Amino acid sequence: QVQLAESGGGLVQPGGSLRVSCVASGRISSDYALGWFRQAPGREREFVVATRWNGASTNYGDSARGRFAISRDRAKNTVYLQMNALKPEDTAVYYCAVGPRWVVGRMSLEGQYDYWGQGTQVTVSS
Protein backbone atom coordinates (compact mmCIF):
# COMPACT_ATOMS: atom_id res chain seq x y z
CA GLN A 1 0.00 0.00 0.00
CA VAL A 2 1.28 3.44 -0.97
CA GLN A 3 -0.08 6.78 0.19
CA LEU A 4 0.74 10.01 -1.58
CA ALA A 5 0.55 13.58 -0.36
CA GLU A 6 1.10 16.58 -2.61
CA SER A 7 2.05 20.04 -1.39
CA GLY A 8 3.48 23.30 -2.63
CA GLY A 9 0.65 24.57 -4.78
CA GLY A 10 -0.40 28.18 -4.74
CA LEU A 11 -0.88 31.37 -6.70
CA VAL A 12 1.86 32.46 -9.07
CA GLN A 13 2.06 35.18 -11.71
CA PRO A 14 2.40 34.34 -15.39
CA GLY A 15 6.04 33.72 -16.25
CA GLY A 16 6.81 32.68 -12.69
CA SER A 17 7.98 29.39 -11.25
CA LEU A 18 6.65 26.97 -8.68
CA ARG A 19 7.75 23.62 -7.31
CA VAL A 20 5.22 21.10 -6.06
CA SER A 21 6.14 18.05 -4.05
CA CYS A 22 4.74 14.58 -3.53
CA VAL A 23 5.72 12.50 -0.53
CA ALA A 24 5.13 8.77 -0.75
CA SER A 25 4.64 6.62 2.31
CA GLY A 26 5.07 2.88 2.13
CA ARG A 27 7.54 0.79 0.22
CA ILE A 28 8.51 2.23 -3.14
CA SER A 29 10.15 -0.27 -5.46
CA SER A 30 12.84 0.94 -7.84
CA ASP A 31 10.70 -0.39 -10.69
CA TYR A 32 7.74 1.77 -9.77
CA ALA A 33 6.58 4.58 -12.02
CA LEU A 34 5.78 8.03 -10.68
CA GLY A 35 3.61 10.39 -12.61
CA TRP A 36 2.21 13.88 -12.44
CA PHE A 37 -1.19 14.67 -13.92
CA ARG A 38 -3.31 17.79 -13.80
CA GLN A 39 -6.96 18.63 -14.12
CA ALA A 40 -8.39 22.05 -14.93
CA PRO A 41 -12.03 22.92 -14.20
CA GLY A 42 -14.33 21.39 -16.76
CA ARG A 43 -11.55 19.42 -18.44
CA GLU A 44 -10.31 15.86 -18.34
CA ARG A 45 -7.25 14.90 -16.35
CA GLU A 46 -4.12 15.49 -18.41
CA PHE A 47 -0.76 13.76 -18.32
CA VAL A 48 2.18 16.00 -17.37
CA VAL A 49 5.24 13.81 -16.84
CA ALA A 50 6.28 10.39 -15.59
CA THR A 51 9.53 8.87 -14.42
CA ARG A 52 10.78 5.58 -13.14
CA TRP A 53 11.70 5.63 -9.50
CA ASN A 54 15.20 4.43 -10.44
CA GLY A 55 15.50 7.31 -12.92
CA ALA A 56 16.03 5.09 -15.94
CA SER A 57 13.23 6.63 -17.99
CA THR A 58 11.29 9.88 -18.10
CA ASN A 59 8.48 11.00 -20.40
CA TYR A 60 7.06 14.49 -20.65
CA GLY A 61 3.67 15.46 -21.97
CA ASP A 62 3.43 18.09 -24.66
CA SER A 63 2.32 20.77 -22.22
CA ALA A 64 5.30 20.23 -19.93
CA ARG A 65 8.15 19.60 -22.30
CA GLY A 66 10.76 22.34 -22.11
CA ARG A 67 9.20 24.12 -19.11
CA PHE A 68 8.69 21.51 -16.40
CA ALA A 69 11.15 19.13 -14.79
CA ILE A 70 10.57 16.10 -12.59
CA SER A 71 13.06 15.00 -9.98
CA ARG A 72 13.06 12.73 -6.96
CA ASP A 73 14.80 12.32 -3.64
CA ARG A 74 14.81 8.61 -2.93
CA ALA A 75 16.00 9.08 0.64
CA LYS A 76 12.92 11.20 1.35
CA ASN A 77 10.54 9.18 -0.84
CA THR A 78 9.68 12.48 -2.50
CA VAL A 79 9.14 13.45 -6.11
CA TYR A 80 9.17 17.06 -7.23
CA LEU A 81 7.68 18.90 -10.19
CA GLN A 82 9.52 22.11 -11.01
CA MET A 83 7.38 24.34 -13.19
CA ASN A 84 8.88 27.32 -15.00
CA ALA A 85 7.53 29.95 -17.39
CA LEU A 86 4.05 29.29 -16.07
CA LYS A 87 1.03 30.29 -18.12
CA PRO A 88 -2.60 30.87 -17.10
CA GLU A 89 -3.49 27.65 -18.91
CA ASP A 90 -1.30 25.74 -16.45
CA THR A 91 -3.92 26.48 -13.79
CA ALA A 92 -5.16 23.14 -12.49
CA VAL A 93 -5.13 20.70 -9.63
CA TYR A 94 -1.92 18.74 -9.85
CA TYR A 95 -1.91 15.08 -8.82
CA CYS A 96 0.92 12.66 -8.30
CA ALA A 97 0.43 8.97 -8.91
CA VAL A 98 2.34 5.72 -8.52
CA GLY A 99 2.20 2.68 -10.73
CA PRO A 100 3.70 -0.77 -10.13
CA ARG A 101 5.77 -0.88 -13.29
CA TRP A 102 7.04 1.13 -16.22
CA VAL A 103 5.34 0.24 -19.47
CA VAL A 104 6.98 1.76 -22.49
CA GLY A 105 4.68 4.11 -24.34
CA ARG A 106 1.84 3.84 -21.85
CA MET A 107 2.76 5.92 -18.82
CA SER A 108 0.59 8.81 -19.97
CA LEU A 109 -2.46 6.66 -19.29
CA GLU A 110 -4.22 6.95 -15.93
CA GLY A 111 -4.91 3.23 -15.87
CA GLN A 112 -1.19 2.53 -15.40
CA TYR A 113 -1.31 4.02 -11.91
CA ASP A 114 -2.71 2.36 -8.79
CA TYR A 115 -2.24 5.09 -6.20
CA TRP A 116 -3.16 8.76 -6.35
CA GLY A 117 -2.70 11.75 -4.10
CA GLN A 118 -5.41 14.24 -3.20
CA GLY A 119 -3.98 16.95 -5.42
CA THR A 120 -2.63 20.46 -4.94
CA GLN A 121 -4.07 23.57 -6.58
CA VAL A 122 -1.85 25.65 -8.84
CA THR A 123 -3.25 28.96 -10.03
CA VAL A 124 -1.42 31.11 -12.55
CA SER A 125 -2.87 34.59 -12.63
CA SER A 126 -1.87 38.21 -12.43
Side-chain angles (χ1 to χ4, degrees):
Q1 187 79 10
V2 175
Q3 293 184 327
L4 304 171
E6 301 95 335
S7 63
L11 174 65
V12 61
Q13 292 188 342
S17 297
L18 194 67
R19 188 179 79 165
V20 293
S21 305
C22 174
V23 178
S25 60
R27 182 176 176 274
I28 304 295
S29 166
S30 61
D31 292 329
Y32 278 15
L34 298 107
W36 282 98
F37 289 75
R38 68 185 185 183
Q39 188 167 22
R43 303 190 65 177
E44 293 186 353
R45 195 173 295 184
E46 176 189 20
F47 170 71
V48 177
V49 60
T51 189
R52 295 181 74 169
W53 186 241
N54 62 16
S57 303
T58 300
N59 285 348
Y60 285 91
D62 291 340
S63 62
R65 195 172 294 115
R67 298 188 300 129
F68 295 1
I70 190 170
S71 62
R72 72 229 178 278
D73 185 331
R74 296 180 68 173
K76 297 181 178 179
N77 267 13
T78 300
V79 62
Y80 303 98
L81 179 65
Q82 176 68 42
M83 301 181 287
N84 301 318
L86 283 161
K87 308 172 183 179
E89 51 263 44
D90 293 318
T91 296
V93 178
Y94 284 72
Y95 299 91
C96 65
V98 167
R101 67 191 62 84
W102 184 269
V103 181
V104 175
R106 299 187 66 82
M107 297 319 299
S108 63
L109 303 177
E110 294 182 48
Q112 296 297 319
Y113 300 87
D114 293 339
Y115 304 101
W116 292 81
Q118 82 288 349
T120 185
Q121 175 71 47
V122 173
T123 302
V124 184
S125 175
S126 55

